[in-house]
Amino acid sequence: AYHPPPLYLINLLVTLSTRDISNMNERFSIRHIPALYFAFANSMSLVMTPLYGIRAIMELYGLPSHISTIPETWPVWEAGQGRTILLSLLMHYFYWRGQYAECDTLVMGVAFLGINDYLVLRAHGNSLWAWTRIVLSIAYASTGYFGLTQGRGVRAKPTKTK
């Protein structure tokens, strides 16, 4: 049986290795909730796949059982989830470093993910869930477009390179 690598350890290391999280209570704002939701929600497959199995996660996504019960579809699903988890790790990295402009950029990418989910679910899954995904994804991505994580009147900080 295939077992995914323990990427949750990478997630934990990224979070712990970032600088200056001691003043997190002072920096946190309700505006940060979309970025934090993105970071943690896209990490859930790291925890849920070993506990519930790939089939259950595929059905939770909205794919019908005639697709999720075929073991040959599972590696393709895991490859796609690996890319989503990478986006989650990047969000954690940027958020804990206080790079909110980058967080907003990643949140804007949810629009593309919503379009992709819509196309997949419309063709192979639950069409009601497909419409829900695209509408909510565009609404969610708009928070990144309007710079919610950065806040009003805040311009993007230049990247610090050495």
Side-chain angles (χ1 to χ4, degrees):
Y2 174 76
H3 297 287
L7 293 176
Y8 59 90
L9 294 176
I10 296 170
N11 191 2
L12 179 64
L13 290 174
V14 167
T15 303
L16 294 177
S17 68
T18 55
R19 62 178 168 81
D20 194 23
I21 62 171
S22 61
N23 64 347
M24 195 61 223
N25 288 335
E26 297 168 14
R27 286 191 341 210
F28 177 77
S29 170
I30 198 157
R31 296 183 330 262
H32 298 169
I33 290 176
L36 289 171
Y37 177 79
F38 179 98
F40 287 100
N42 289 313
S43 299
M44 288 307 297
S45 65
L46 290 173
V47 175
M48 292 178 68
T49 299
L51 293 176
Y52 299 105
I54 296 170
R55 177 182 175 204
I57 304 306
M58 290 174 75
E59 289 175 359
L60 180 64
Y61 175 80
L63 292 173
S65 60
H66 74 271
I67 294 175
S68 64
T69 56
I70 300 172
E72 289 81 8
T73 63
W74 298 350
V76 177
W77 176 263
E78 287 182 311
Q81 285 300 299
R83 286 154 178 81
T84 304
I85 291 165
L86 173 63
L87 293 174
S88 171
L89 295 174
L90 288 171
M91 180 64 84
H92 277 287
Y93 179 78
F94 291 135
Y95 180 79
W96 296 112
R97 291 178 53 95
Q99 295 175 292
Y100 301 135
E102 289 79 358
C103 292
D104 284 333
T105 302
L106 286 172
V107 170
M108 281 190 297
V110 170
F112 172 77
L113 297 175
I115 293 167
N116 183 62
D117 288 350
Y118 169 78
L119 294 172
V120 169
L121 291 175
R122 187 189 66 179
H124 305 289
N126 183 335
S127 62
L128 177 62
W129 192 235
W131 281 104
T132 304
R133 285 282 177 103
I134 195 163
V135 169
L136 293 178
S137 294
I138 290 172
Y140 185 74
S142 69
T143 65
Y145 178 78
F146 292 111
L148 184 67
T149 309
Q150 297 175 69
R152 290 180 55 169
V154 178
R155 297 181 62 190
K157 297 175 187 174
T159 305
K160 297 177 184 177
T161 56
K162 292 182 183 183

PDB file of all heavy atoms in Angstrom, residues 3-20:
ATOM      1  N   HIS A   3       1.888   4.927   0.925  1.00  0.00           N
ATOM      2  CA  HIS A   3       1.674   5.887   2.007  1.00  0.00           C
ATOM      3  C   HIS A   3       2.387   7.177   1.637  1.00  0.00           C
ATOM      4  O   HIS A   3       3.575   7.146   1.301  1.00  0.00           O
ATOM      5  CB  HIS A   3       2.222   5.361   3.328  1.00  0.00           C
ATOM      6  CG  HIS A   3       1.537   4.117   3.785  1.00  0.00           C
ATOM      7  ND1 HIS A   3       0.261   4.123   4.275  1.00  0.00           N
ATOM      8  CD2 HIS A   3       1.937   2.824   3.796  1.00  0.00           C
ATOM      9  CE1 HIS A   3      -0.091   2.890   4.590  1.00  0.00           C
ATOM     10  NE2 HIS A   3       0.914   2.081   4.303  1.00  0.00           N
ATOM     11  N   PRO A   4       1.678   8.303   1.682  1.00  0.00           N
ATOM     12  CA  PRO A   4       2.321   9.573   1.323  1.00  0.00           C
ATOM     13  C   PRO A   4       3.419   9.927   2.315  1.00  0.00           C
ATOM     14  O   PRO A   4       3.375   9.514   3.477  1.00  0.00           O
ATOM     15  CB  PRO A   4       1.174  10.590   1.372  1.00  0.00           C
ATOM     16  CG  PRO A   4       0.146   9.962   2.231  1.00  0.00           C
ATOM     17  CD  PRO A   4       0.289   8.482   2.088  1.00  0.00           C
ATOM     18  N   PRO A   5       4.423  10.671   1.871  1.00  0.00           N
ATOM     19  CA  PRO A   5       5.484  11.070   2.791  1.00  0.00           C
ATOM     20  C   PRO A   5       4.931  11.993   3.868  1.00  0.00           C
ATOM     21  O   PRO A   5       3.909  12.643   3.666  1.00  0.00           O
ATOM     22  CB  PRO A   5       6.485  11.812   1.898  1.00  0.00           C
ATOM     23  CG  PRO A   5       5.698  12.213   0.711  1.00  0.00           C
ATOM     24  CD  PRO A   5       4.612  11.203   0.539  1.00  0.00           C
ATOM     25  N   PRO A   6       5.581  12.042   5.013  1.00  0.00           N
ATOM     26  CA  PRO A   6       5.068  12.856   6.127  1.00  0.00           C
ATOM     27  C   PRO A   6       5.284  14.351   5.884  1.00  0.00           C
ATOM     28  O   PRO A   6       6.125  14.986   6.507  1.00  0.00           O
ATOM     29  CB  PRO A   6       5.868  12.341   7.320  1.00  0.00           C
ATOM     30  CG  PRO A   6       7.147  11.830   6.730  1.00  0.00           C
ATOM     31  CD  PRO A   6       6.778  11.302   5.359  1.00  0.00           C
ATOM     32  N   LEU A   7       4.502  14.915   4.970  1.00  0.00           N
ATOM     33  CA  LEU A   7       4.639  16.333   4.652  1.00  0.00           C
ATOM     34  C   LEU A   7       4.188  17.229   5.794  1.00  0.00           C
ATOM     35  O   LEU A   7       4.554  18.398   5.847  1.00  0.00           O
ATOM     36  CB  LEU A   7       3.860  16.670   3.385  1.00  0.00           C
ATOM     37  CG  LEU A   7       4.407  16.040   2.103  1.00  0.00           C
ATOM     38  CD1 LEU A   7       3.502  16.370   0.937  1.00  0.00           C
ATOM     39  CD2 LEU A   7       5.811  16.519   1.835  1.00  0.00           C
ATOM     40  N   TYR A   8       3.392  16.697   6.722  1.00  0.00           N
ATOM     41  CA  TYR A   8       2.988  17.505   7.859  1.00  0.00           C
ATOM     42  C   TYR A   8       4.197  17.931   8.682  1.00  0.00           C
ATOM     43  O   TYR A   8       4.182  18.971   9.317  1.00  0.00           O
ATOM     44  CB  TYR A   8       1.960  16.768   8.726  1.00  0.00           C
ATOM     45  CG  TYR A   8       2.446  15.458   9.278  1.00  0.00           C
ATOM     46  CD1 TYR A   8       3.093  15.395  10.490  1.00  0.00           C
ATOM     47  CD2 TYR A   8       2.258  14.284   8.559  1.00  0.00           C
ATOM     48  CE1 TYR A   8       3.542  14.196  10.988  1.00  0.00           C
ATOM     49  CE2 TYR A   8       2.706  13.085   9.043  1.00  0.00           C
ATOM     50  CZ  TYR A   8       3.350  13.034  10.268  1.00  0.00           C
ATOM     51  OH  TYR A   8       3.798  11.847  10.746  1.00  0.00           O
ATOM     52  N   LEU A   9       5.263  17.141   8.646  1.00  0.00           N
ATOM     53  CA  LEU A   9       6.493  17.536   9.340  1.00  0.00           C
ATOM     54  C   LEU A   9       7.130  18.745   8.665  1.00  0.00           C
ATOM     55  O   LEU A   9       7.638  19.643   9.338  1.00  0.00           O
ATOM     56  CB  LEU A   9       7.479  16.369   9.377  1.00  0.00           C
ATOM     57  CG  LEU A   9       7.051  15.169  10.208  1.00  0.00           C
ATOM     58  CD1 LEU A   9       8.066  14.052  10.080  1.00  0.00           C
ATOM     59  CD2 LEU A   9       6.884  15.572  11.657  1.00  0.00           C
ATOM     60  N   ILE A  10       7.094  18.786   7.342  1.00  0.00           N
ATOM     61  CA  ILE A  10       7.617  19.935   6.614  1.00  0.00           C
ATOM     62  C   ILE A  10       6.802  21.172   6.963  1.00  0.00           C
ATOM     63  O   ILE A  10       7.354  22.247   7.205  1.00  0.00           O
ATOM     64  CB  ILE A  10       7.614  19.670   5.099  1.00  0.00           C
ATOM     65  CG1 ILE A  10       8.571  18.525   4.770  1.00  0.00           C
ATOM     66  CG2 ILE A  10       7.997  20.931   4.324  1.00  0.00           C
ATOM     67  CD1 ILE A  10       8.471  18.028   3.354  1.00  0.00           C
ATOM     68  N   ASN A  11       5.494  21.011   7.016  1.00  0.00           N
ATOM     69  CA  ASN A  11       4.607  22.113   7.378  1.00  0.00           C
ATOM     70  C   ASN A  11       4.971  22.655   8.765  1.00  0.00           C
ATOM     71  O   ASN A  11       5.086  23.855   8.973  1.00  0.00           O
ATOM     72  CB  ASN A  11       3.163  21.626   7.339  1.00  0.00           C
ATOM     73  CG  ASN A  11       2.162  22.723   7.429  1.00  0.00           C
ATOM     74  OD1 ASN A  11       2.515  23.890   7.484  1.00  0.00           O
ATOM     75  ND2 ASN A  11       0.904  22.346   7.442  1.00  0.00           N
ATOM     76  N   LEU A  12       5.175  21.753   9.709  1.00  0.00           N
ATOM     77  CA  LEU A  12       5.534  22.164  11.064  1.00  0.00           C
ATOM     78  C   LEU A  12       6.897  22.852  11.089  1.00  0.00           C
ATOM     79  O   LEU A  12       7.068  23.888  11.729  1.00  0.00           O
ATOM     80  CB  LEU A  12       5.541  20.941  11.980  1.00  0.00           C
ATOM     81  CG  LEU A  12       5.926  21.185  13.424  1.00  0.00           C
ATOM     82  CD1 LEU A  12       4.902  22.100  14.090  1.00  0.00           C
ATOM     83  CD2 LEU A  12       6.028  19.881  14.170  1.00  0.00           C
ATOM     84  N   LEU A  13       7.866  22.316  10.355  1.00  0.00           N
ATOM     85  CA  LEU A  13       9.203  22.916  10.334  1.00  0.00           C
ATOM     86  C   LEU A  13       9.184  24.308   9.717  1.00  0.00           C
ATOM     87  O   LEU A  13       9.865  25.214  10.195  1.00  0.00           O
ATOM     88  CB  LEU A  13      10.173  22.015   9.577  1.00  0.00           C
ATOM     89  CG  LEU A  13      10.528  20.718  10.276  1.00  0.00           C
ATOM     90  CD1 LEU A  13      11.381  19.847   9.371  1.00  0.00           C
ATOM     91  CD2 LEU A  13      11.237  20.981  11.587  1.00  0.00           C
ATOM     92  N   VAL A  14       8.411  24.480   8.645  1.00  0.00           N
ATOM     93  CA  VAL A  14       8.315  25.799   8.018  1.00  0.00           C
ATOM     94  C   VAL A  14       7.740  26.798   9.004  1.00  0.00           C
ATOM     95  O   VAL A  14       8.228  27.911   9.161  1.00  0.00           O
ATOM     96  CB  VAL A  14       7.472  25.745   6.730  1.00  0.00           C
ATOM     97  CG1 VAL A  14       7.099  27.134   6.249  1.00  0.00           C
ATOM     98  CG2 VAL A  14       8.233  25.009   5.650  1.00  0.00           C
ATOM     99  N   THR A  15       6.703  26.387   9.712  1.00  0.00           N
ATOM    100  CA  THR A  15       6.072  27.276  10.678  1.00  0.00           C
ATOM    101  C   THR A  15       7.035  27.626  11.810  1.00  0.00           C
ATOM    102  O   THR A  15       7.146  28.782  12.213  1.00  0.00           O
ATOM    103  CB  THR A  15       4.795  26.631  11.249  1.00  0.00           C
ATOM    104  OG1 THR A  15       3.929  26.326  10.172  1.00  0.00           O
ATOM    105  CG2 THR A  15       4.093  27.565  12.206  1.00  0.00           C
ATOM    106  N   LEU A  16       7.745  26.638  12.310  1.00  0.00           N
ATOM    107  CA  LEU A  16       8.634  26.877  13.449  1.00  0.00           C
ATOM    108  C   LEU A  16       9.926  27.599  13.065  1.00  0.00           C
ATOM    109  O   LEU A  16      10.516  28.280  13.901  1.00  0.00           O
ATOM    110  CB  LEU A  16       8.969  25.550  14.131  1.00  0.00           C
ATOM    111  CG  LEU A  16       7.796  24.840  14.796  1.00  0.00           C
ATOM    112  CD1 LEU A  16       8.252  23.505  15.358  1.00  0.00           C
ATOM    113  CD2 LEU A  16       7.193  25.706  15.880  1.00  0.00           C
ATOM    114  N   SER A  17      10.351  27.461  11.825  1.00  0.00           N
ATOM    115  CA  SER A  17      11.627  28.045  11.430  1.00  0.00           C
ATOM    116  C   SER A  17      11.531  29.499  11.001  1.00  0.00           C
ATOM    117  O   SER A  17      12.531  30.126  10.712  1.00  0.00           O
ATOM    118  CB  SER A  17      12.252  27.232  10.300  1.00  0.00           C
ATOM    119  OG  SER A  17      11.481  27.374   9.133  1.00  0.00           O
ATOM    120  N   THR A  18      10.329  30.034  10.933  1.00  0.00           N
ATOM    121  CA  THR A  18      10.190  31.414  10.506  1.00  0.00           C
ATOM    122  C   THR A  18      10.560  32.343  11.640  1.00  0.00           C
ATOM    123  O   THR A  18      10.521  31.988  12.805  1.00  0.00           O
ATOM    124  CB  THR A  18       8.768  31.702  10.025  1.00  0.00           C
ATOM    125  OG1 THR A  18       7.864  31.345  11.049  1.00  0.00           O
ATOM    126  CG2 THR A  18       8.455  30.919   8.768  1.00  0.00           C
ATOM    127  N   ARG A  19      10.867  33.565  11.263  1.00  0.00           N
ATOM    128  CA  ARG A  19      11.376  34.511  12.250  1.00  0.00           C
ATOM    129  C   ARG A  19      10.259  35.290  12.921  1.00  0.00           C
ATOM    130  O   ARG A  19       9.205  35.502  12.355  1.00  0.00           O
ATOM    131  CB  ARG A  19      12.347  35.475  11.580  1.00  0.00           C
ATOM    132  CG  ARG A  19      11.714  36.312  10.488  1.00  0.00           C
ATOM    133  CD  ARG A  19      12.726  37.289   9.909  1.00  0.00           C
ATOM    134  NE  ARG A  19      12.217  37.882   8.703  1.00  0.00           N
ATOM    135  CZ  ARG A  19      11.369  38.902   8.661  1.00  0.00           C
ATOM    136  NH1 ARG A  19      10.931  39.437   9.767  1.00  0.00           N
ATOM    137  NH2 ARG A  19      10.966  39.388   7.516  1.00  0.00           N
ATOM    138  N   ASP A  20      10.500  35.669  14.134  1.00  0.00           N
ATOM    139  CA  ASP A  20       9.697  36.643  14.870  1.00  0.00           C
ATOM    140  C   ASP A  20       8.207  36.323  14.909  1.00  0.00           C
ATOM    141  O   ASP A  20       7.393  37.092  14.442  1.00  0.00           O
ATOM    142  CB  ASP A  20       9.917  38.044  14.275  1.00  0.00           C
ATOM    143  CG  ASP A  20       9.387  39.132  15.198  1.00  0.00           C
ATOM    144  OD1 ASP A  20       9.281  38.867  16.406  1.00  0.00           O
ATOM    145  OD2 ASP A  20       9.094  40.226  14.707  1.00  0.00           O
TER     146      ASP A  20
END
